[in-house]
Amino acid sequence: MFDGIKPHLAELRKRLGIAVASIIVFAFIAFGFNQPIIEFVKAPLVGVVDGDPFIGGIGIFFTALKISIFTGFLVALPVVFAQIWLFIAPGLYDNEKKYILPFAAISTFMFLLGTAFAYWVVIPLGFQFLWMFAGSLVNFLQTLDEYVSIFTKILFGFGVAFELPVVLFFLGMLGLITDKNLKDFFGYAVLIIFIFAALLTPPDVITQLLMAGPLVLLYGISILIVRMVNPAKVEDEDDEETA
């Protein structure tokens, strides 16, 4: 039994090793440009808060390291997704394997689209909302490191969230779900989406709605996508309606 698992573990280590190595290489390069990257990270706050809200700088090295690793991860996304899909590939049929490279490309695009939406829309609006209530009372951002932690968490959360259509398309292509399954699960999906948004965003309604809203829309788009690749059979729908 374990002999059958060993090749999969070896393949997993190989793919994971390549992905991690690529992230480390790009993170090392990004560290050499940490100052302009940090300024880019702070840019969404320009015009939102008065001056530079950050106090203290004892953790600047670790902040630069953290943002460099995250930058390395974003740059290495094509490699990371390629390794994920190549790990899955041996379990697919030959006619399904042709989708591996397109899946890697689309996965990268959707993740970056999610981070771009978070950077240019969610973070400015979310922090503007927070600043209106907290700016005159407390300095809600105590350190640059605290901001970077929130920043990377939001961007990563939106990147993962925007993978929803890709994942559902893949499951539909394998015949594991139909558009009817997704429609029947819609109510639960909305609940899960709002819980997901609450966990990955600051504790304010605006930011949570800015994450939950696009996710509900992406779920709706996913229903249409799955309908194209694996629609529910008409007779099955009729049987369930008569039952």
Side-chain angles (χ1 to χ4, degrees):
M1 179 177 67
F2 293 104
D3 291 337
I5 298 176
K6 287 180 180 179
H8 296 291
L9 292 178
E11 181 69 10
L12 178 61
R13 284 196 298 268
K14 175 186 174 182
R15 299 301 173 189
L16 188 61
I18 295 173
V20 172
S22 65
I23 293 173
I24 292 173
V25 169
F26 286 118
F28 181 78
I29 296 172
F31 190 78
F33 302 91
N34 68 83
Q35 274 306 119
I37 292 174
I38 288 176
E39 292 303 316
F40 181 78
V41 168
K42 291 165 61 177
L45 294 183
V46 175
V48 174
V49 300
D50 300 325
D52 193 333
F54 304 113
I55 59 175
I58 57 174
I60 188 63
F61 172 80
F62 294 102
T63 302
L65 185 62
K66 183 186 298 183
I67 201 64
S68 297
I69 292 173
F70 187 72
T71 302
F73 169 73
L74 291 180
V75 177
L77 275 176
V79 180
V80 172
F81 280 119
Q83 298 310 308
I84 292 174
W85 290 110
L86 286 172
F87 176 72
I88 297 173
L92 304 178
Y93 293 109
D94 290 337
N95 65 314
E96 294 170 340
K97 290 180 180 179
K98 64 182 180 181
Y99 292 106
I100 293 301
L101 289 180
F103 267 132
I106 294 171
S107 298
T108 301
F109 172 77
M110 292 302 295
F111 196 101
L112 293 178
L113 182 63
T115 60
F117 179 76
Y119 181 86
W120 274 290
V121 178
V122 177
I123 291 177
L125 290 179
F127 279 101
Q128 187 174 25
F129 177 80
L130 286 173
W131 186 255
M132 283 193 307
F133 288 93
S136 59
L137 302 175
V138 294
N139 198 349
F140 69 91
L141 292 173
Q142 296 297 314
T143 65
L144 177 61
D145 185 68
E146 183 181 350
Y147 169 69
V148 166
S149 296
I150 297 173
F151 177 90
T152 53
K153 181 180 178 182
I154 292 175
L155 259 66
F156 183 79
F158 271 84
V160 171
F162 272 57
E163 294 297 320
L164 182 64
V166 182
V167 173
L168 294 182
F169 173 77
F170 179 71
L171 295 177
M173 187 187 71
L174 295 180
L176 298 178
I177 58 173
T178 65
D179 58 317
K180 188 177 188 309
N181 296 144
L182 296 181
K183 286 187 287 187
D184 292 343
F185 193 70
F186 182 78
Y188 299 103
V190 171
L191 177 61
I192 294 171
I193 285 170
F194 273 91
I195 293 174
F196 181 78
L199 292 174
L200 290 179
T201 59
D204 69 276
V205 177
I206 298 298
T207 310
Q208 291 172 8
L209 288 176
L210 285 172
M211 172 172 268
L215 264 180
V216 173
L217 178 61
L218 287 173
Y219 188 89
I221 293 173
S222 299
I223 294 175
L224 299 178
I225 292 173
V226 173
R227 180 181 295 173
M228 290 188 294
V229 296
N230 188 38
K233 295 180 180 179
V234 177
E235 57 267 24
D236 292 342
E237 292 183 348
D238 293 339
D239 289 342
E240 291 189 11
E241 288 177 1
T242 55

